[in-house]
Amino acid sequence: IRRFAREKDLKIPIKDKYHLHSFEFQLQESVLNITADVLEKPGSLIMLETKPRWEVSEQKLYLDEFKIDTKSKNLLIKSAGLIASKLFHEKIDKLIEQKVNEMFRSNLEKILSKPLEVPLGKQGIIQVAARSIEIQGMKFLEGKMEIDVVLKGYLNLNLNS
């Protein structure tokens, strides 16, 4: 997630006037913490905490129990933090969910369009042409995710003589 956000220079529009950018993601046991800068308000941050859940039947990530907080050097924004939290909450959780799921779909399409190659040292190479990929489960742990994947496709083994 972190790499995708940096590569794509991820910006999420909020309430017509504002954009979140410079996302940082931190995984803890069953919790995803996200911080993002408010582009139009330097020194202002949105901090989000959510419990990610993978829905196998839909092949989709959901962000449950969303909590939001704001920090700012601007006194006006600090005092409006509670109001901002309520205004942003409905839109931020769905937008982040949407962006993460778009990233997931984009990466799956890349894998399905190009064979994966696994070198066997000097002995050769294995190519796997995926026909379908299904994520059977995700566990969110401290600093990492464990993902159970079913990959169906074709295996081509090329050995050097």
Side-chain angles (χ1 to χ4, degrees):
I1 296 174
R2 182 178 294 137
R3 182 179 45 124
F4 172 80
R6 283 189 191 128
E7 285 175 4
K8 302 289 184 188
D9 189 25
L10 186 61
K11 289 186 179 89
I12 297 180
I14 304 294
K15 295 289 183 192
D16 300 332
K17 295 193 235 182
Y18 302 105
H19 294 82
L20 298 180
H21 77 116
S22 298
F23 285 83
E24 287 295 325
F25 299 89
Q26 182 182 26
L27 274 173
Q28 297 174 339
E29 183 97 15
S30 300
V31 173
L32 174 61
N33 292 304
I34 305 166
T35 58
D37 294 329
V38 180
L39 185 62
E40 294 79 7
K41 300 289 181 187
S44 299
L45 293 173
I46 298 285
M47 295 158 299
L48 313 160
E49 180 181 298
T50 185
K51 293 189 176 190
R53 172 180 52 90
W54 182 256
E55 184 58 48
V56 176
S57 62
E58 297 176 56
Q59 291 293 286
K60 186 174 180 182
L61 183 69
Y62 286 94
L63 303 176
D64 299 330
E65 299 180 38
F66 217 86
K67 296 177 188 172
I68 184 169
D69 197 9
T70 57
K71 278 192 182 176
S72 179
K73 295 176 185 174
N74 182 317
L75 187 57
L76 187 59
I77 292 176
K78 277 184 185 179
S79 63
L82 181 59
I83 295 167
S85 293
K86 294 204 180 284
L87 289 174
F88 287 165
H89 185 276
E90 289 178 15
K91 198 163 187 179
I92 288 175
D93 60 349
K94 295 302 171 200
L95 285 170
I96 291 176
E97 237 178 44
Q98 177 186 350
K99 292 294 182 185
V100 168
N101 282 297
E102 284 173 10
M103 173 198 70
F104 166 73
R105 296 273 177 247
S106 172
N107 285 329
L108 274 185
E109 287 173 18
K110 285 180 191 174
I111 292 169
L112 291 170
S113 69
K114 183 178 175 185
L116 301 170
E117 294 186 352
V118 180
L120 298 173
K122 295 181 181 180
Q123 286 82 28
I125 192 167
I126 295 176
Q127 290 181 322
V128 179
R131 287 184 304 147
S132 68
I133 298 172
E134 184 175 294
I135 296 178
Q136 296 290 309
M138 282 188 194
K139 289 183 186 175
F140 300 90
L141 306 169
E142 188 76 30
K144 64 180 180 180
M145 293 185 330
E146 287 183 2
I147 302 174
D148 296 326
V149 178
V150 172
L151 183 133
K152 294 180 181 176
Y154 304 100
L155 182 70
N156 186 9
L157 180 59
N158 295 315
L159 296 175
N160 298 332
S161 27

